[in-house]
Amino acid sequence: MSAKRDFSISRRDFLATTTAAAIAAALPASAQTPAPAPSTGPWTRVSLTDPAAPAMLASYGTAVTALLKLGATDGLNFYRNAFIHTLDCPHGNWWFLPWHRGYLGWWEQTVRLYSGNPNFAFPYWDWTAQPFVPDAFWSTTANPNNPLDPSSSIYYSSYSAFQSYFSAAMTQFYSGLSAAQQQQLTYRGLNTANLFWQAAAGDWANPARTLTEQNNSLPDQTAVNLATIQQALQTPFFAGDLVTTFGGFGSDYAAQHSGGGSEGILESQPHDNVHGDIGGFMGAFLSPIDPIFMAHHANIDRLWTVWTAQQQAAGQPTLPTFKLTTWQNEPFLFYVDSQGNPVTQNTASAYETPSLFNYNYTQGSPLPSATAETMAAKAFSESSVRRVTGTVRAAQVNFSQPAVAHVVLPEGTAASAGLGRRRVRAHLTIERPANTRGIRFHVFVNPPQNEATLESSHPSYAGTIQFFGNMHHQHATTFTVPLEKTLADLRAANALPTGDTIDIYVVAQSRAIALRALPPVSVTKVEISTF
């Protein structure tokens, strides 16, 4: 996968489209061949609110300027890095966290080298403290929708020019794949260059962010609020086995990392909703083109380190407790190092901890005092899990009708929810729409009539679901939505019926796109787990 450096790229055509060059405009240009950074770490990833963050973002811009000068055949080209995410990234399974840790870690080393800043580390976006797109990401180049020179931009109207520039390079890339790499892309439905371009074309269909500088707040703030993050951190197992447990902290078991389709709270809520709410490239597999991707995923990774520390403090496992060898041996075959060479740390086991990259995080949300209850509530065994399957009374959901499921909860669930005694999660399996852009599914418990008009502040509101990206292969996905706060709010409002029975409504909404007919999508299963 290494390639001879090619600096023949037109500066006018591609430097103009950089997502970070203006940030670096006031800084000295990086050298064509940067000297290796002298430091061996540890490096510190700081919050975007930290005084050190602007310098880190400026260094990112410097590096991207240099990386855009690399030719289309160079694996370190800025856009070629985004292609790795399209080609190989797992979502909806238990490799979601380690794969993205490796992806950020290797790219961080490349940025460190090409920025000339030996102290560079990705800043993280603590969306719990800042539930809006920070000001730094609305500057000319930190927003991919504001290129330096619109007359030469390919962001808005020249996908064909973009494809033309990279077409020969990607044909060459595919011809050089190993048998193992080819197998991985076959799993993913991207085993030819033509299939890759079909997927990329969909990602370029709506490149503009949905949010704007004037309207920059995340609309689904429940997904990132402290209660949701704490409920994610209170998941005492890394991955569900899909037999006894669902909704692991790191999502759930799959046979290989292009399969699966069952997400935990962390992936179902903050991860998916932040991607979808920002929109544009962030709503698609080419999301690394938007620089906020790195800050978003750094925060996801930070929360993994918080969860791991809590598990260790409570004497609980930090890795899967079933099929561990399968999880550890899963191949990650498309990373490249800062020299453009394939990495030798090419299985999931290399990314169990941040030690390979030697970084740490400054304190973010939640504060340690807010997680004390989480650590104290870790008593868990698989035998304590109780799971019930609801009766789906109306499976089809579209913009004019909800899906409805009736669930008989384990006895005492409603009375104890929200009191720190039991965790209650809904696991909703939904068929993937052919086009997922702009479609959200709101989840309500025992809503009154006209549920489509309810706000997220209503006691019935439990959360929002968004599919991430348009996958080249289609399958249903199971999302996890925490219910204990919703049940506690309903109990306080005297809106729970006698006994442990609830109705769960799934309401479809079209956002930030012209209202269109949504072919009926099926909610095929609704399950509740308590532990």
Side-chain angles (χ1 to χ4, degrees), residues 33 95 122 331 353 381 489 499:
T33 307
W95 288 291
F122 285 124
T353 72
S381 67
D489 290 344

Side-chain angles (χ1 to χ4, degrees), residues 273-362:
N273 280 297
V274 169
H275 271 285
D277 287 346
I278 293 174
F281 285 115
M282 270 292 281
F285 280 95
L286 284 175
S287 46
I289 290 175
D290 192 326
I292 205 168
F293 172 97
M294 302 300 172
H296 174 45
H297 269 275
N299 199 43
I300 294 287
D301 184 79
R302 179 186 69 85
L303 290 172
W304 185 14
T305 68
V306 172
W307 181 85
T308 298
Q310 291 180 173
Q311 290 288 103
Q312 291 171 335
Q316 295 291 321
T318 61
L319 298 176
T321 55
F322 63 99
K323 295 184 179 293
L324 177 59
T325 301
T326 298
W327 183 84
Q328 291 176 319
N329 290 341
E330 179 68 9
F332 298 164
L333 302 179
F334 294 88
Y335 299 144
V336 294
D337 64 18
S338 60
Q339 305 302 316
N341 299 314
V343 306
T344 57
Q345 298 88 345
N346 56 14
T347 61
S349 60
Y351 308 102
E352 294 173 2
T353 72
S355 60
L356 177 63
F357 303 115
N358 197 17
Y359 62 84
N360 53 45
Y361 289 99
T362 58

